[in-house]
Amino acid sequence: MQQEVIIVGGGMVGLSLALMLAKAKIGVKLLEAIRYPDYDDADLAPYHSSFDARNSALSRRTVQIYQELGLWDALQEHATPILEVNITEQGSFGKARLKAEQEKVESFGQVIENAWLGRVLLTEVKKESLIELIDGVQVTSLTQDTDHAFIEAQRGEEALRLQAKIVIAADGRDSFCRKALGIGASVHDYDQVAIVTTVQTSKPHHHVGFERFSHLGPLALLPLPGEYRRSVVWPVPKGTEGEWLGDENDQHFLDALQQTYGDRAGKFQKTGKRFSFPLSQVLAEKQAVGRVVLMGNAAHTIHPVAGQGFNLCMRDAHVLLRYLKEQVNAGADLGDASMLLDYEKSRLTDQQRVIKFCDSVVRGFSNQNPVLKLIRNTGLVAFDVIPGIKPLVANYAMGLKA
C-alpha cells in the first residue's frame, strides 16, 4: 500500500497526528529516530526520550480530540482532572483563583505523565494497519519536486528512500527537516532550566493546580493520579540546576519547595528523580514550504509556564487534519502548496496569541522591580474580582476559543 503522508518525528504530536490521519483513512509512514521501548510490564511506562519525565496538562480541547479518536478511556486511567487553579507570587498579596464549578465546566483539563501518554499512543499506533511505523531511523535528506516529497534515511545498515505527497515534519525543536528546507528560526534563550519531577505531599491535592511565581522562577504544581502525588515543573536560572539534581540533593530540593510554596500542600515528603530541560523559545520563520509542513516543536517551541505548548500543537494537528480530509474528499493533491499555506495562515492568530501570552508572563514575572511587582499583584487581585474576565481566560486556557 502506498502511504500518502510521511510524518518525521514520533513523539506525542507525531503519534497523535498519525492516529488522526489513520482514522480519516489516510495512510501514514511514521519515522522516529529513537527505538521505541518494548512494554513488557502492563503497569509500567518507563521514561523514554520521546516520552520523558515531564507531564502534560491536557486542555479540554485536547481531551475532546482524544475522545474523537476513541482514546480517552485508555488515557483517563492515567490522568487526573484540574478542578481549580490558583495563581500567586511568593511574598506578595496578589492571588487569582479559577474554579471549574464556577465556570460551569467539568474541569479545566487533565494532567497526565508523558510516559503514560506516550505508551497509550504508541500501543494504539502499533495496532493501526494504516500506519507503518519505522523507528531507529535517521533522516539524512529531504527534497521535493512538483509531484512528491522525498526522504532519504538510514536504519542501521539499511538505506531507505521514501516518497509521499506530503511530509509533516514533527521532529522537534532542532528539526533536521526545518534546516533541510532552509527555513530559519528565531531563538530566544530564557537562560532557565526546567527542573521536572513528581513529589508526594502530606495533604491531598483535591485536584487543585498551582502556579507560584518565585525569585527562582515560576513553580507549577499540578495534581496527579493518587491523592498525594503532584507533578513539579520549576524553571530555575541556568547554571543552578546542579544544586537540585541527584539523590544527594533530595532533602535540599524538598526544603526549597517547602519554603517557596508554603504549607498549602502540607509537608513535601518525597521526591522522585529530578530531570532538567533547557528552556528557549524557537519560532520557525515559515511553517509550510512546498509539500512540507512543520508541526509541533519544529514549528514553535514555547516556555512551559502556562502549559500551553502541547495543546497548541494538538490544535495545529487537528486543523491540518481538516484541510487534508477536504483534499481527500475532493480527490485533490494532499501536498498542494497553496492549501498548506492556507493552513499556515489559518493557525497564525491562535499561535501568536499563545506565544505572546507565555512569553509576556515569563518576562513580566521575572522582573523583581518593586513597582512592577505591585502592578502585577494588583492585576491578580483585579482578575479575581472583575466580572467577565475569568470566563474569557478560562476558555482560552481550555483551548475552546482557538
Side-chain angles (χ1 to χ4, degrees):
M1 176 181 176
Q2 173 66 47
Q3 268 84 350
E4 298 181 274
V5 178
I6 294 174
I7 299 176
V8 180
M12 298 187 305
V13 174
L15 290 168
S16 298
L17 181 54
L19 289 168
M20 293 181 204
L21 291 169
K23 189 175 179 65
K25 307 302 181 187
I26 299 172
V28 181
K29 273 190 173 71
L30 179 60
L31 312 183
E32 165 59 22
I34 306 299
R35 286 198 178 274
Y36 289 114
D38 291 321
Y39 294 113
D40 298 324
D41 187 336
D43 298 317
L44 183 65
Y47 295 141
H48 177 254
S49 55
S50 291
F51 330 125
D52 55 40
R54 286 172 282 191
N55 304 274
S56 293
L58 308 180
S59 71
R60 284 178 60 80
R61 185 69 191 100
T62 298
V63 170
Q64 288 173 358
I65 293 170
Y66 284 130
Q67 287 171 335
E68 292 169 12
L69 287 171
L71 287 180
W72 185 244
D73 285 347
L75 292 171
Q76 178 71 83
E77 293 181 30
H78 309 289
T80 194
I82 303 174
L83 303 181
E84 183 178 325
V85 178
N86 288 345
I87 307 169
T88 60
E89 182 169 10
Q90 186 181 13
S92 300
F93 61 88
K95 177 188 288 187
R97 179 180 297 169
L98 281 168
K99 292 187 176 183
E101 184 180 20
Q102 291 178 354
E103 304 308 321
K104 296 180 173 57
V105 294
E106 179 188 348
S107 72
F108 292 120
Q110 302 267 345
V111 185
I112 187 169
E113 293 166 273
N114 287 4
W116 278 113
L117 175 56
R119 173 170 181 156
V120 171
L121 294 174
L122 180 59
T123 299
E124 196 66 22
V125 162
K126 287 183 174 180
K127 293 191 292 188
E128 179 53 66
S129 62
L130 285 174
I131 301 174
E132 182 182 350
L133 183 61
I134 309 174
D135 63 351
V137 61
Q138 296 293 328
V139 175
T140 57
S141 172
L142 168 59
T143 57
Q144 53 185 321
D145 62 19
T146 55
D147 297 315
H148 294 92
F150 303 95
I151 292 281
E152 292 182 8
Q154 199 73 26
R155 191 173 194 252
E157 298 298 316
E158 182 185 9
L160 304 177
R161 180 168 172 82
L162 311 171
Q163 72 177 48
K165 288 294 186 180
I166 178 175
V167 167
I168 301 171
D171 53 342
R173 179 178 63 180
D174 300 318
S175 170
F176 170 87
C177 294
R178 186 180 67 220
K179 295 170 185 175
L181 291 171
I183 299 175
S186 64
V187 180
H188 173 71
D189 189 339
Y190 286 106
D191 208 28
Q192 291 180 328
V193 173
I195 305 299
V196 177
T197 191
T198 299
V199 296
Q200 179 178 307
T201 58
S202 63
K203 290 182 180 179
H205 53 61
H206 296 303
H207 302 285
V208 179
F210 285 88
E211 189 83 40
R212 177 80 160 162
F213 292 94
S214 73
H215 70 282
L216 286 175
L219 166 63
L221 203 64
L222 298 176
L224 287 173
E227 283 186 271
Y228 302 94
R229 294 178 67 240
R230 306 175 193 236
S231 77
V232 174
V233 181
W234 197 356
V236 299
K238 187 182 291 184
T240 68
E241 60 268 26
E243 182 179 348
W244 313 110
L245 305 177
D247 295 345
E248 69 279 6
N249 288 321
D250 282 7
Q251 192 58 50
H252 176 56
F253 177 73
L254 290 169
D255 291 343
L257 270 180
Q258 196 79 61
Q259 182 180 3
T260 301
Y261 188 70
D263 62 0
R264 297 167 189 80
K267 183 175 176 58
F268 286 87
Q269 297 175 320
K270 294 181 181 179
T271 174
K273 182 179 179 181
R274 271 89 60 212
F275 298 82
S276 63
F277 302 90
L279 299 179
S280 60
Q281 177 180 274
V282 182
L283 307 177
E285 293 172 358
K286 299 177 183 178
Q287 294 178 44
V289 174
R291 295 180 169 276
V292 183
V293 60
L294 303 184
M295 186 64 53
N297 285 340
H300 41 70
T301 301
I302 64 178
H303 197 284
V305 64
Q308 289 301 304
F310 180 63
N311 295 305
L312 180 61
C313 295
M314 287 294 286
R315 296 200 294 275
D316 289 344
H318 201 253
V319 172
L320 179 61
L321 172 70
R322 188 180 74 227
Y323 274 84
L324 295 179
K325 285 167 68 174
E326 289 173 355
Q327 293 294 101
V328 169
N329 291 338
D333 184 356
L334 276 181
D336 180 75
S338 61
M339 177 272 293
L340 292 178
L341 289 174
D342 286 344
Y343 153 77
E344 178 184 14
K345 185 178 179 181
S346 75
R347 294 300 301 141
L348 289 179
T349 298
D350 185 24
Q351 290 174 358
Q352 290 169 357
R353 172 182 57 78
V354 171
I355 291 164
K356 183 177 180 180
F357 172 75
C358 293
D359 186 59
S360 298
V361 169
V362 176
R363 293 174 188 265
F365 277 90
S366 296
N367 194 316
Q368 297 301 306
N369 181 289
V371 175
L372 288 178
K373 286 188 74 170
L374 175 63
I375 291 172
R376 64 184 177 240
N377 276 273
T378 302
L380 287 175
V381 172
F383 172 86
D384 216 34
V385 299
I386 296 176
I389 294 181
K390 285 187 180 182
L392 180 65
V393 173
N395 278 329
Y396 275 124
M398 292 184 289
L400 301 179
K401 287 292 185 182

